[in-house]
Amino acid sequence: MNTPNTYIGGHVERVEDARFLRGAGRYIDDVTREGMLHACVVRSAVAHGRLVSIDAEEALAMPGVHAVLTAADVTGEIPTIPFRRPNPKIGPYAQPVIARERVRYFGEPVALVLADSPELAEDAAELVLPEIEPLPAVVTRDAALAAEPLLFPGTTEDNLAAVFTAGKGDAEAAFAGAALVVGDSFSTQRQTALPLETRGLLAEWDADAQHLTVHGAAKLPFFNRRAMAKMMDLPETSVDYVEHDVGGGFGARGEFYPEDFLVALAARITGRPVKWVEDRREHFAAIAHSREAEAQVELALDASGRILGLRGEMFMNVGAYVRPNGMTPVRNCAQFMSGPYRVPNIALQATAYVANKTPAGTFRGPGRYEGSFFIERLLDMAAARLGLDRRTIRQVNLLTNAEMPYPLAQIRPSDGSRAETSCDSGEYSEAFHRCLQAFDWEEKEKLDGRLIDGRYHGIAVSCFIEGGASGPAETARIQVAGDGGVEVYVGSSAIGQGLETVMAQIAADTLGLPMECIRIYHGSTTYLAEGWGSYGSRATVMGGNAVREAALALLARFRALAARRLGVGEAEVSVVGGQAVGPDGAVLDLADLAAEGLAGEAKFLNSDATYTNGTAAVHVAVDPETGRVEVLDYVVCDEVGRIVNALTLHGQVTGAAVQGFGSVFGEELPYDDDGALLVGTLADYLVPLATDYPRVRCLSLESYPSPTNPLGAKGAGEGGIIPVGGAVANAVASALRAFGVAPNHLPLSPARVWALLNPPD
Amino acid sequence: MKPFDYVRADSPRSAVAAGGARARFIAGGTNLIDLMKLEVEAPERLVDISRLDLGGIGPAEGGGLRIGALASNADVAAAHAVRRDYPALARALLSGASGQIRNKATTGGNLLQRTRCPYFTDTSQPCNKRRPGKGCAAIGGHTRNHAILGATSHCIATHPSDMAVALRALDASVEIEGADGSRRRMTVGELYRLPGDAPDRDTTLEAGELITAVILPPPPAGAAQSYRKVRDRASYAFALVSLACVAKMEDGRIDQVALAFGGIAPVPWRDGAAEEALRGENPGPEVFEHAADILLADAERQGDNAFKIPLVRRLLKAELARATGTGDQR
């Protein structure tokens, strides 16, 4: 696939790193404006209640406090935050940008204080006293399903935001004819993505121009601009979202949150720039949570281990409101639970219920991580019952390239183009074999289930697919500056994933120029008339192909302009290495024609998803006295269609794996019975630290380019996290086989593992 | 954060003169500043003692080691005399917090740090330790990290320090300067108090009293020392259960033994009767079990933390087996 001397496919170091490592990154809190006010959000300390009144008198009396905004300052109806994937049922559950009569979660915004400094704003916020009559909080699934009480009385008849089905074939018949049915209950715990940089915004209102600028964009600035324009009753072109450096997104950052509107409203009302930067404690209650899922699922198999069918129910606690992509993990879990396997008959139902907790959204591998955990556990249970090797049961079910495109289950109600989707390409056993070879399964298997130096060793293997591309479109524009430098404007966003490097590689190779000539401008609505952003593993596929097409358009224009300048036909001009050469040897540089409008623009269209496939293998050691699980080795091999940059790819996969260990072992957002969030600091929320960082190895293959795009790339990077729950849980089960434990509930904290070994009498 | 006055003390004398019930001494500030930001602590005055001449680690009068109250946790853990003579203390310190925090946190401050009970730091929740008489939201709440010994119906929080657990096992004392300029000494055991019906008071210090040093007695000759901490994450996590163990064998019998536990009680926990049951005995599983029975006779689970009771038992058995050379030496 790689041609010599190309950037694409090389181990190209990130161009961003020089800036980041020298402390020269510019994040939202580094952006300041003359005369700006600082905002602090007053949040409900009650999970569920009637908002009776808000007494801001004392706060307003503080010198340096300029205003306290509440729902009363919003004219007309309180706007609600739009959905990324609307469906008929979720409408009433949209989140209002500020609470008016009722609060529904601990941390819900009820007022905004504006003051001369962030410290003053925070002190004043302490003095704003919302009077809230508490109502019983809905925290558990049982309470939510029993509708005791309703979160939206008078508007909805239950607490069910949506019920999706994922269907294919005839599951009932498949189960009726099965040699074996295995089933069980599983759950994954509520957690959050935890970007290193907390959220922040700075809004500026230009009253003369009637123009709003919002700094602090990430992920999808164009969607948010559209949402903001509608809420503010402004033309879309009167709103800009500007992206600065972003310290991590992982699906949670960059969605439209209540603060987007409130900070903009404050700027519009006061006429002054308004800045808001979250602290970590606030972040835990404000940013989207994810992963709180339960499942009761069954797999039907024949005697040789071939999967005949999959059925069951899933329940996701989506918090108090449906946020823009609150349904993504729910529908994904149902649609992608079948993973990389040939599952001809599927009947899954996924219910999203609301409860008095922070609203949920996406987090790296949304729904896929949960679904992968469920099916991988079932496969190991089935292998044990059938007396099959755990590798064999996967091998016989992995998809082959001859079956492509292979349709996955259909989602109903339909929520857009991906309600029906198919795997695009790949011989899935290839990554499987390469992974096990690198892992040295045969050698490690000798340790499986054995007690060595006081710890039980276990290994496991887990396979996955990762959806990518996330169409329908992405845009790019390339223009040549007067000095011959090439400016590339992309609709994609940079959330710390190395976008500037990858886009520069693609532009440089297509244009035949050194990367150093290329400058990437991204993520702001000021650069392009329309764009999409970075989510769902789409930037390389959608943005990368848009850059490629824009570069090709630029070269065509270059050729045309050169031919005109040289007075020859276009066919007589050869374009190589940023130079146009005429038939007589006359040479023109890009810079020579810059003044004539040397630019190229493209909108890359593709609504088909890409599917990276892969396999992870893990080796763990379990201390039976403390329940502590140590990961000794983790190998991931993925087939990504085309590797653009092995370093950024492996960096993402490794990071995802380590983030996954946090999901599996420690990270949890517990609530008490009254709906109070019990985590406020990083001492309570156990993310992996350097001491929890095991050996992680990544391998990537590019054997089956995706037919969906000219680059052949498939969205990748989440491969480290999707299979981690199933892999680790199966390895723990294998290590502790002598005890017959079933680690079906995450996290596998020391206490949980210990309790599996020491069941209460 | 609430506004406060700031006074920089130039001597211990001036520090205690400026102190009082509504003032707080500040040195490293690694716990106090966090609590002030959350308004769990809202002192009217901060008395900055960080520039006082209270650092230093050196021989104590009459043997042993004197550690100045302002010696940083990192310096104490790295001190040669500590590593050589009091390895349990060095290990306890290194198992706590993070490198950055240990560089900043002081010996006196470490002793006086407050509980990490999530209800204590959440001002929207009732907490008798924060506001006496308001009630305890932890009881019946999320209690994984709470006490199994020494708790009351007013408070079930645990003391978070690792260092204090090792000091308790090593029979350390604290040197205190009183508000009237008087000086006194008490053991670390005497420094801490059980919550009783006044859980807001963690220690027996009077208002305005300043800890000026920690005194360690001469190291117990020939004794094995260890500190083992069981927690949810290998660094930057508080103990679920920890154990500082000092044990000396004589002719195959246990001659001296001190066992101090962290993470299970409102104070670093020692049980004289359990230690007594070990003294003079031939080490072995039955003897260890018997000591654990005594130690845990009054242990009570709080909701989610039932696991701590068997965990304490296993930790005790494992560490005693190691210390007495009768079990797994890993």
Side-chain angles (χ1 to χ4, degrees), chain B residues 115-140:
Chain B
T115 183
R116 262 55 173 199
C117 173
Y119 298 95
F120 174 69
T121 48
D122 181 350
T123 51
S124 68
Q125 302 272 350
C127 171
N128 287 324
K129 192 179 270 301
R130 185 166 17 85
R131 300 276 300 276
K134 289 285 175 186
C136 172
I139 295 172

Side-chain angles (χ1 to χ4, degrees), chain A residues 371-500:
Chain A
S372 173
F373 169 61
F374 305 154
I375 197 164
E376 293 296 332
R377 280 293 298 137
L378 286 173
L379 281 173
D380 267 26
M381 292 157 69
R385 294 270 295 277
L386 292 169
L388 286 175
D389 188 288
R390 291 180 289 157
R391 290 168 294 174
T392 311
I393 200 166
R394 289 175 173 81
Q395 245 169 305
V396 300
N397 289 300
L398 283 173
L399 291 169
T400 61
N401 198 44
E403 294 167 273
M404 301 294 166
Y406 182 82
L408 298 171
Q410 291 183 354
I411 288 293
R412 292 292 179 270
S414 174
D415 58 349
S417 61
R418 274 173 291 166
E420 289 98 34
T421 183
S422 299
C423 294
D424 50 346
S425 66
E427 189 71 35
Y428 288 5
S429 59
E430 197 176 306
F432 178 79
H433 289 301
R434 288 293 296 273
C435 174
L436 294 184
Q437 188 185 20
F439 181 72
D440 205 355
W441 179 276
E442 278 82 14
E443 216 29 56
K444 289 205 169 81
E445 201 173 21
K446 295 171 187 162
L447 309 176
D448 200 24
R450 286 185 58 198
L451 180 65
I452 300 163
D453 286 344
R455 297 194 298 177
Y456 289 94
H457 287 243
I459 60 171
V461 59
S462 201
C463 308
F464 64 92
I465 53 170
E466 170 188 356
S470 304
E474 192 54 278
T475 54
R477 179 167 56 87
I478 306 187
Q479 67 188 38
V480 178
D483 62 358
V486 176
E487 296 167 348
V488 180
Y489 299 87
V490 294
S492 307
S493 292
I495 40 185
Q497 82 276 43
L499 182 95
E500 292 170 32

Side-chain angles (χ1 to χ4, degrees), chain B residues 12-46:
Chain B
R13 193 65 198 274
S14 73
V16 294
R22 292 173 189 281
R24 290 285 182 275
F25 297 122
I26 184 161
T30 57
N31 187 213
L32 180 60
I33 295 288
D34 282 351
L35 294 175
M36 287 172 65
K37 284 185 191 165
L38 297 170
E39 300 191 356
V40 171
E41 290 270 12
E44 290 177 4
R45 172 186 287 178
L46 281 189

Side-chain angles (χ1 to χ4, degrees), chain B residues 158-223:
Chain B
T158 53
H159 196 271
S161 172
D162 290 299
M163 182 189 81
V165 175
L167 291 179
R168 181 103 163 86
L170 292 165
D171 292 316
S173 306
V174 288
E175 191 182 85
I176 295 153
E177 178 138 341
D180 55 358
S182 64
R183 294 200 177 170
R184 61 183 182 124
R185 256 171 84 158
M186 59 170 133
T187 66
V188 169
E190 291 160 346
L191 172 67
Y192 294 110
R193 60 181 296 282
L194 288 169
D197 56 4
D200 53 319
R201 292 183 55 209
D202 295 351
T203 70
T204 56
L205 292 177
E206 300 296 329
E209 282 190 319
L210 177 70
I211 294 177
T212 50
V214 166
I215 313 291
L216 283 156

Side-chain angles (χ1 to χ4, degrees), chain A residues 87-98:
Chain A
N87 82 52
K89 181 90 165 59
I90 56 179
Y93 297 93
Q95 177 162 15
V97 291
I98 190 164

Side-chain angles (χ1 to χ4, degrees), chain A residues 249-271:
Chain A
F250 311 116
R253 187 196 188 86
E255 292 291 343
F256 199 103
Y257 282 90
E259 296 84 5
D260 284 61
F261 178 82
L262 296 177
V263 173
L265 177 74
R268 197 171 178 178
I269 287 179
T270 61

Side-chain angles (χ1 to χ4, degrees), chain A residues 45 106 122-123 126 281 453 624-625 628 670 672 676 678 682-683 685-687 689 691-692 750-751 754 758, chain B residues 1 37-39 118-119 121-122 124-125 142 144 228 230-236 238 307 310-311 314 318 330:
Chain A
F106 176 93
E122 197 174 316
D123 285 348
E126 293 283 321
R281 195 178 187 82
D453 286 344
E625 290 191 16
R628 178 162 187 266
D672 72 9
L678 297 176
L682 287 171
Y685 191 74
L686 302 182
V687 285
L689 302 178
T691 41
D692 309 293
W754 187 82
N758 299 272
Chain B
M1 193 183 283
K37 284 185 191 165
L38 297 170
E39 300 191 356
Y119 298 95
T121 48
D122 181 350
S124 68
Q125 302 272 350
H142 192 68
R144 222 173 105 55
R228 190 167 175 190
V230 181
R231 45 182 157 172
D232 284 331
R233 177 169 66 183
S235 81
Y236 197 54
F238 291 95
F307 71 92
L311 189 56
R314 287 172 169 216
R330 93 192 136 88

